[in-house]
Amino acid sequence: QFPFGRRLPCDIYWHGVSFHDNNIFSGQVNKFPGMMETVRKITLSRAMRTMQDLFPLEYNFYPRSWILPEELPLFVAEVRMMKDRNPSWKPTFIVKPDGGCQGDGIYLIKDPNDIRLTGSIQSRPAVVQEYICKPLLVDKLKFDIRLYVLLKSLEPLEIYIAKDGLSRFCTEPYQEPTLKNLHQVFMHLTNYSLNIHSGNFIHSASVNTGSKRTFSSILCRLSSRGADVKKLWSDIISLVIKTIIALTPELKVYYQSDIPAGKPGPTCFQILGFDILLMKNLKPMLLEVNANPSMRIEHEQELSPGVFENVPSPVDEEVKVAVIRDTLRLVDPQKKKRKDTQSLPSPTTLILCCRCQSLEQVPEANEELPDAGPAARPESDIPRSREAALPSLCLKQVFPKYAKQFSYLRLVDRVAALFIRFLGVKGTTKLGPTGFRTFIRNCKLSNSNFSMAAVDILYIDITRRWNSMGIDHKEPGMCLQAFVEAFFCLAQKKYKSLPLHEQVASLVEFCERHLAALRGKRLVWGCG
Ligand code: ADP
């Protein structure tokens, strides 16, 4: 606990909420700069939309979404058009305030005109999304899955998924949405924080029953009904990888701004909470990503009216303890040292916990640790000396393990690399007009059909529109999403007849080639 700062650096910094410490020059921090902003409902929806524009089939696991208030006319027009095309389509939509959590301010609508744009909660920016009307039910109840994902590193990309997660149940039997039941939150929203207030909520000592269960217990049940559980897991793994691929461009912009390359700084890792809904046909759909998933392993119990006590929650303990323990094992700085020197571990790894203000020590090998549960299997790559006493890893590496299948999706990452290259001044996340002009010149994108005056107009038009959407007024200039939009425009202009992802891939290659040639020339000049 260092309320007034600290003199000695730590190996691992465990922050409660976000990456917010500019005085860390080494070690590892459990938060990425900008993660909170990147996974907000609006930003996530925008990132997913970009990927859906490029790869519609690969990204059909995210419900169609519109951003309010600016896309309200588009939403109304698109719904009208789809209804005209298919009069039997009777959709339901879910409106979710941006930055909201625990079901706060969420409501369902049948008609786009029912969006509430007045009032304090309702006037907040929000996402309106197609409501998944046919979820998979267990015991007649809707439930969602909370999966824990470790983003161990951004560059190179390293992703781990926990082998078990939580299933959080509604507390009223599910019925497809009708005007009569739209308001029944215990039927439609799976949030623990809401359902805990229902008289039907069941706290269970078993991980297989009650209103919160392990995901593995659901898988067992599905498997006994003959469901293809292997396929379901593989769909979930690809959902997680694709989602992180959609988030990395923005994260890299924040990263270079807070931790510039070549300067001393920490490395980052982060545990994310993925909320996933299974459709009746077992297709997993992404609902949202949480940058700060709750790691509580207790719940409140009302002993007598108004008197509460914290009691252990076996299901939370089973899943979450393993996630935290294995995260520490995977990022353990002593592990690398041990590998290097083959010596015994030093006694303690220091963890700074900013929110709970406590200093803790990672237990030594022979201290007793909780069991990882039946799903755990031995891993071979862990040094035996200390790891032998620990349960096997619950976190399974999925990237770079499956990198080959997914690398073609990392197109916006390459666009972001171009953006970052021309940002220039350190500590910025927005591109100025000169940076944009330099990008156009160095990549040889201007010609008689596309003059530098047209370049300036493109910059001004797109930047002004993005800045008017009120996302980040603090810094002037072109944000990454605006640059991506401008890049797509340029790609469409240059490679008219191709599908969008091929247009963008061709332009990325074109730019990379010109920049490599320029670098080559500069090296020759330098030598000369
Ligand atoms: P919050 O951050 O407030 O929890 P979520 O996006 O997780 O917001 O939504 C809350 C709950 O609403 C989810 O747990 C899920 O039960 C339900 N929900 C959210 N989006 C959809 C959707 N598109 N279709 C069906 N149910 C949804």
Side-chain angles (χ1 to χ4, degrees), residues 41 96 101 103 129-132 142 144 189-191 288:
K41 292 183 172 65
K96 314 194 231 181
C101 59
Q129 195 169 74
E130 245 183 288
Y131 185 73
I132 298 154
K142 175 175 171 178
D144 76 353
L189 307 188
T190 49
N191 298 78
E288 73 162 350

Side-chain angles (χ1 to χ4, degrees), residues 331-379:
V331 302
D332 178 8
Q334 301 300 334
K335 194 162 129 188
K336 190 172 176 300
K337 279 186 209 158
R338 267 198 312 278
K339 268 192 185 154
D340 294 346
T341 61
Q342 292 295 311
S343 63
L344 283 171
S346 67
T348 310
T349 296
L350 203 57
I351 301 165
L352 180 68
C353 175
C354 291
R355 195 195 242 168
C356 66
Q357 297 280 294
S358 65
L359 181 68
E360 301 179 4
Q361 292 179 352
V362 176
E364 285 308 290
N366 43 11
E367 281 180 36
E368 215 171 278
L369 282 155
D371 188 28
R377 246 172 274 132
E379 291 273 334

Side-chain angles (χ1 to χ4, degrees), residues 203-431:
H203 285 294
S204 171
S206 154
V207 297
N208 309 314
T209 56
S211 299
K212 204 194 257 186
R213 311 180 194 176
T214 56
F215 180 45
S216 54
S217 76
I218 303 290
L219 288 177
C220 279
R221 245 174 109 159
L222 292 177
S223 174
S224 69
R225 286 191 209 164
D228 188 348
V229 171
K230 245 184 161 175
K231 158 102 173 50
L232 173 58
W233 254 120
S234 119
D235 289 346
I236 288 178
I237 289 172
S238 65
L239 175 151
V240 168
I241 295 176
K242 287 172 186 173
T243 304
I244 292 198
I245 285 179
L247 299 175
T248 52
E250 189 87 36
L251 284 174
K252 284 183 180 170
V253 173
Y254 280 106
Y255 202 93
Q256 62 76 39
S257 150
D258 272 284
I259 311 169
K263 295 266 161 68
T267 51
C268 302
F269 64 94
Q270 188 151 358
I271 298 170
L272 300 169
F274 273 64
D275 290 350
I276 294 169
L277 190 68
L278 294 184
M279 298 200 345
K280 209 172 173 181
N281 61 5
L282 287 191
K283 180 179 169 56
M285 297 291 286
L286 177 72
L287 297 180
E288 73 162 350
V289 180
N290 284 277
N292 284 312
S294 160
M295 284 296 170
R296 279 194 73 173
I297 53 169
E298 293 171 325
H299 66 84
E300 270 186 357
Q301 202 171 45
E302 195 166 16
L303 295 178
S304 53
V307 182
F308 292 91
E309 187 193 43
N310 280 332
V311 295
S313 162
V315 62
D316 285 295
E317 217 169 297
E318 166 107 18
V319 173
K320 296 175 182 174
V321 168
V323 170
I324 300 260
R325 182 195 58 224
D326 289 353
T327 298
L328 291 172
R329 283 160 87 182
L330 285 169
V331 302
D332 178 8
Q334 301 300 334
K335 194 162 129 188
K336 190 172 176 300
K337 279 186 209 158
R338 267 198 312 278
K339 268 192 185 154
D340 294 346
T341 61
Q342 292 295 311
S343 63
L344 283 171
S346 67
T348 310
T349 296
L350 203 57
I351 301 165
L352 180 68
C353 175
C354 291
R355 195 195 242 168
C356 66
Q357 297 280 294
S358 65
L359 181 68
E360 301 179 4
Q361 292 179 352
V362 176
E364 285 308 290
N366 43 11
E367 281 180 36
E368 215 171 278
L369 282 155
D371 188 28
R377 246 172 274 132
E379 291 273 334
S380 53
D381 64 340
I382 307 155
R384 288 192 162 215
S385 55
R386 187 181 177 204
E387 299 278 348
L390 296 173
S392 54
L393 280 171
C394 82
L395 289 171
K396 175 185 155 71
Q397 195 206 67
V398 293
F399 204 98
K401 189 173 178 194
Y402 302 120
K404 259 196 192 148
Q405 288 105 296
F406 295 94
S407 56
Y408 74 101
L409 299 173
R410 303 185 72 189
L411 205 48
V412 186
D413 240 28
R414 287 162 73 191
V415 178
L418 295 170
F419 175 79
I420 290 169
R421 192 185 167 120
F422 290 96
L423 276 178
V425 191
K426 77 168 177 57
T428 178
T429 56
K430 289 195 175 171
L431 191 63

Side-chain angles (χ1 to χ4, degrees), residues 44-164:
L44 175 70
S45 295
R46 282 210 171 99
M48 297 307 267
R49 165 115 39 103
T50 303
M51 296 309 282
Q52 285 172 335
D53 287 346
L54 287 169
F55 305 104
L57 290 181
E58 287 86 340
Y59 279 83
N60 65 6
F61 60 84
Y62 190 67
R64 201 172 353 201
S65 307
W66 296 263
I67 287 143
L68 299 177
E70 76 238 21
E71 290 181 355
L72 182 59
L74 182 72
F75 169 56
V76 173
E78 287 193 0
V79 171
R80 191 178 306 133
M81 200 177 69
M82 288 186 277
K83 277 188 174 168
D84 287 348
R85 256 194 242 148
N86 177 9
S88 65
W89 186 53
K90 300 263 177 290
T92 304
F93 301 97
I94 182 163
V95 185
K96 314 194 231 181
D98 187 43
C101 59
Q102 305 190 328
D104 166 42
I106 291 184
Y107 59 97
L108 304 188
I109 52 168
K110 282 272 180 197
D111 188 329
N113 295 317
D114 291 340
I115 284 183
R116 307 169 203 157
L117 286 174
T118 51
S120 58
I121 294 177
Q122 289 79 9
S123 59
R124 276 197 262 161
V127 166
V128 56
Q129 195 169 74
E130 245 183 288
Y131 185 73
I132 298 154
C133 292
K134 293 186 192 302
L136 179 75
L137 305 182
V138 165
D139 299 335
K140 300 198 172 111
L141 299 168
K142 175 175 171 178
F143 67 97
D144 76 353
I145 308 160
R146 159 60 59 84
L147 270 191
Y148 296 93
V149 170
L150 171 66
L151 179 55
K152 185 168 174 275
S153 150
L154 199 54
E155 196 73 84
L157 188 58
E158 277 185 68
I159 309 168
Y160 289 75
I161 301 183
K163 285 179 183 163
D164 205 354

